[in-house]
């Protein structure tokens, strides 16, 4: 759908989705802050509704500023088209509502973002939808759970917050062999580091709240489809459910997106150094970071990603108590949930982002009470290291 598909990633991230505005030729795209669009005539309005003519009708159904963001992300993910949503969870729930019907079954990664799992287990279950959340790094395990009514394989790779990966190409092959759709939440990698559609996935989604916007000032989501058919199915449900993005929100996300590659590269450089430093620190028991050769899926990361990213999880030798002491002691790193922004954030998933998941389920999926999650930002590496060092000295 995007006009600039042939340029390199560095160029597409800056230009994709933008057409100079026809009135003032503004270099920054205009914010079409309108809920509705005037028809030229009764006939024109009717033709827009039947689809005989293309154009904008009403912002829940489409808007030029939102379209610019959708075209840009569709280009980065190499998809047919994208749909921007009011939050990442609006993207997740639209995907579930589109591809799961009454009595359907889905298989998902055990260590998903808490709400993406909780909505299935506590809400969709009311519509007869059943699920198995399992270790999706294990293909045999996935194979065992496929049933006649399984419709969807839903993975996060790397997963929040365990950093466990799934082999996306192998998952796609298995899913398609059994008639399932493969949906990948690509939030942790961002389109800069991983393109699941190229690896065989059918649909990709992001919480754009994170890396794509990158400035910790907007909540939003986006869904990218490989084919027109999938896009139209998702579009119909999104427009009926109403979880569409707002034009001002889209403009902010598009502004953030333009520096995505620069931010991802700088944060990744910091994360690689911090992960190496943490892994040799006397107070640190373990580090999960796909850029360390000690990560069990280091080879898979090199195969399917262009880099390990900037999310790290780790545990201290002093366990839960020491971890809490650390997050209460840091001064430069901010104690907050969310991730993927220019500033470094630290949090405790068991009591924060994943507290909606019961303790037993959490622990089975690797989200132990001692796990601390670090979203590494774009500050100077030495300042981040010194801040963590002074915090670790208190643990
Ligand atoms: N997918 C992933 C991988 C996420 O990490 C999140 C939010 C969502 C979807 C939902 O997106 P939202 O509606 O919040 O835009 N993750 C969060 C986290 O780890 N800390 O705070 C929110």
């Amino acid at each position: 759908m995007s006009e600039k598909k042939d340029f390199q990633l560095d160029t597409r991230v800056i230009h994709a989705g933008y057409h100079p505005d026809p009135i003032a030729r503004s270099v920054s795209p205009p914010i079409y802050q309108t809920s509705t669009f005037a028809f030229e005539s009764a006939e024109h309005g009717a033709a827009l509704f039947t689809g005989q003519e293309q154009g904008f009708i009403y912002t829940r159904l489409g808007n030029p500023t939102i379209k610019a963001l959708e075209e840009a992300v569709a280009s980065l993910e190499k998809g047919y088209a994208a749909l921007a949503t009011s939050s990442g969870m609006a993207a997740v729930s639209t995907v579930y509502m589109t591809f799961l019907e009454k009595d359907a079954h889905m298989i998902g990664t055990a260590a998903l973002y808490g709400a993406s799992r909780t909505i299935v287990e506590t809400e969709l279950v009311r519509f007869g939808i059943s699920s198995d959340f399992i270790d999706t790094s294990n293909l045999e395990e996935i194979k065992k759970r496929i049933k006649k009514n399984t419709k969807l394989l839903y993975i996060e790779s790397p997963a929040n917050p365990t950093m466990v990966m799934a082999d996306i190409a192998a998952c796609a092959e298995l899913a398609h062999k059994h008639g399932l759709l493969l949906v990948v939440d690509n939030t942790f990698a961002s389109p800069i580091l991983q393109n699941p559609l190229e690896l065989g996935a059918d649909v990709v989604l992001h919480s754009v709240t994170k890396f794509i916007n990158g400035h910790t000032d907007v909540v939003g989501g986006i869904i990218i489809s490989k084919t027109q058919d999938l896009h139209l199915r998702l579009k119909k449900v999104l427009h009926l459910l109403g979880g569409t993005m707002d034009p001002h929100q889209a403009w902010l996300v598009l502004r953030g997106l333009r520096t995505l590659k620069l931010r991802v590269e700088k944060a990744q450089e910091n994360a690689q150094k911090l992960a190496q430093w943490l892994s040799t620190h006397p107070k640190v028991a373990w580090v999960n970071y796909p850029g360390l050769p000690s990560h069990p899926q280091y080879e898979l990361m090199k195969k399917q990603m262009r880099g390990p990213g900037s999310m790290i999880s780790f545990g201290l030798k002093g366990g839960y108590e020491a971890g809490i002491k650390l997050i209460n002691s840091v001064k430069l790193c901010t104690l907050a949930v969310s991730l993927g922004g220019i500033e470094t954030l630290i949090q405790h998933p068991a009591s924060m982002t994943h507290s909606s998941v019961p303790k037993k389920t959490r622990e089975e999926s690797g989200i132990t009470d001692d796990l601390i999650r670090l979203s590494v930002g774009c500050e100077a590496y030495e300042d981040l290291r010194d801040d963590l060092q002074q915090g670790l000295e208190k643990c």
Side-chain angles (χ1 to χ4, degrees):
M1 288 283 275
S2 175
E3 74 295 1
K4 301 217 164 119
K5 227 168 186 168
D6 294 330
F7 288 116
Q8 288 186 40
L9 185 57
D10 301 66
T11 308
R12 280 185 288 128
V13 76
I14 291 167
H15 290 275
Y18 181 57
H19 314 272
D21 101 83
I23 299 169
R25 298 193 57 76
S26 67
V27 171
S28 167
I31 307 174
Y32 285 89
Q33 195 69 51
T34 182
S35 58
T36 196
F37 297 84
F39 305 134
E40 289 161 20
S41 62
E43 294 74 17
H44 176 230
L48 288 174
F49 270 92
T50 60
Q52 280 166 305
E53 281 191 46
Q54 293 299 305
F56 296 100
I57 298 173
Y58 180 62
T59 283
R60 175 161 49 78
L61 311 177
N63 172 294
T65 314
I66 301 170
K67 186 165 178 254
L69 172 66
E70 291 171 338
E71 286 190 8
V73 179
S75 164
L76 297 184
E77 283 290 14
K78 306 193 173 174
Y80 169 76
L83 294 161
T85 59
S86 56
S87 68
M89 282 312 298
V92 174
S93 53
T94 299
V95 161
Y96 290 156
M97 293 300 277
T98 304
F99 300 128
L100 297 171
E101 70 261 359
K102 185 174 171 294
D103 298 329
H105 172 253
M106 69 168 276
I107 299 171
T109 305
L112 281 187
Y113 168 59
S116 304
R117 176 168 178 168
T118 304
I119 188 180
V120 178
E121 293 184 325
T122 67
E123 306 307 319
L124 298 188
V125 73
R126 295 189 284 116
F127 306 103
I129 290 165
S130 59
S131 55
D132 277 306
F133 287 96
I134 57 164
D135 175 8
T136 48
S137 69
N138 183 339
L139 278 181
E140 286 309 310
E141 198 55 36
I142 302 176
K143 226 182 266 173
K144 269 194 251 163
R145 305 298 177 114
I146 298 175
K147 304 183 201 173
K148 265 209 177 101
N149 59 337
T150 308
K151 301 288 176 193
L152 185 64
L153 175 57
Y154 183 96
I155 61 178
E156 246 179 54
S157 184
N160 183 0
T162 57
M163 307 308 295
V164 173
M165 282 168 271
D167 184 331
I168 297 173
C171 283
E173 201 186 319
L174 180 64
H176 297 154
K177 197 170 144 199
H178 292 87
L180 324 182
L181 286 175
L182 175 65
V183 175
V184 180
D185 183 332
N186 201 27
T187 301
F188 264 43
S190 91
I192 301 301
L193 300 178
Q194 180 170 268
N195 293 127
L197 298 179
E198 283 201 315
L199 297 165
D202 300 291
V203 171
V204 166
L205 67 87
H206 289 270
S207 164
V208 303
T209 315
K210 314 296 168 7
F211 290 97
I212 290 182
N213 178 59
H215 292 74
T216 323
D217 50 12
V218 176
V219 168
I222 201 155
I223 312 166
I224 311 97
S225 301
K226 190 172 195 158
T227 66
Q228 183 184 34
D229 172 57
L230 292 167
H231 173 69
L232 293 178
R233 285 171 68 189
L234 285 158
K235 184 165 145 180
K236 185 173 160 211
V237 173
L238 176 66
H239 289 174
L240 289 168
L241 287 176
T244 23
M245 195 177 259
D246 170 82
H248 187 248
Q249 198 185 356
W251 185 87
L252 283 167
V253 176
L254 191 59
R255 184 173 70 160
L257 172 78
R258 298 312 187 194
T259 55
L260 178 63
K261 189 156 185 288
L262 301 171
R263 289 184 282 104
V264 164
E265 285 169 355
K266 169 69 181 164
Q268 178 173 260
E269 194 185 306
N270 281 344
Q272 182 73 47
K273 289 186 196 161
L274 277 178
Q276 272 156 1
W277 175 76
L278 282 169
S279 65
T280 57
H281 195 285
K283 297 263 173 91
V284 175
W286 55 269
V287 179
N288 281 340
Y289 180 64
L292 293 178
S294 59
H295 190 288
Q297 294 166 300
Y298 180 65
E299 292 305 322
L300 177 61
M301 181 283 288
K302 288 200 287 186
K303 190 177 99 178
Q304 69 183 17
M305 296 178 74
R306 288 182 284 273
S310 51
M311 296 300 299
I312 303 174
S313 54
F314 63 98
L316 301 185
K317 287 184 182 153
Y320 168 78
E321 287 77 16
I324 296 300
K325 239 186 233 168
L326 174 67
I327 63 175
N328 275 329
S329 307
V330 287
K331 296 191 169 92
L332 176 61
C333 303
T334 302
L335 173 54
V337 297
S338 201
L339 59 108
I342 44 169
E343 64 288 281
T344 298
L345 303 180
I346 195 164
Q347 67 113 0
H348 178 240
S351 64
M352 297 171 184
T353 46
H354 293 71
S355 57
S356 66
V357 182
K359 184 175 164 73
K360 185 170 171 288
T361 315
R362 251 193 344 254
E363 288 189 340
E364 279 166 6
S365 39
I367 309 166
T368 47
D369 279 353
D370 65 335
L371 187 150
I372 300 296
R373 190 186 76 182
L374 194 61
S375 168
V376 181
C378 298
E379 300 92 338
Y381 160 69
E382 292 77 9
D383 291 335
L384 294 172
R385 181 201 57 200
D386 293 351
D387 187 40
L388 288 167
Q389 173 61 27
Q390 67 79 27
L392 285 166
E393 277 164 17
K394 301 192 175 93
C395 298

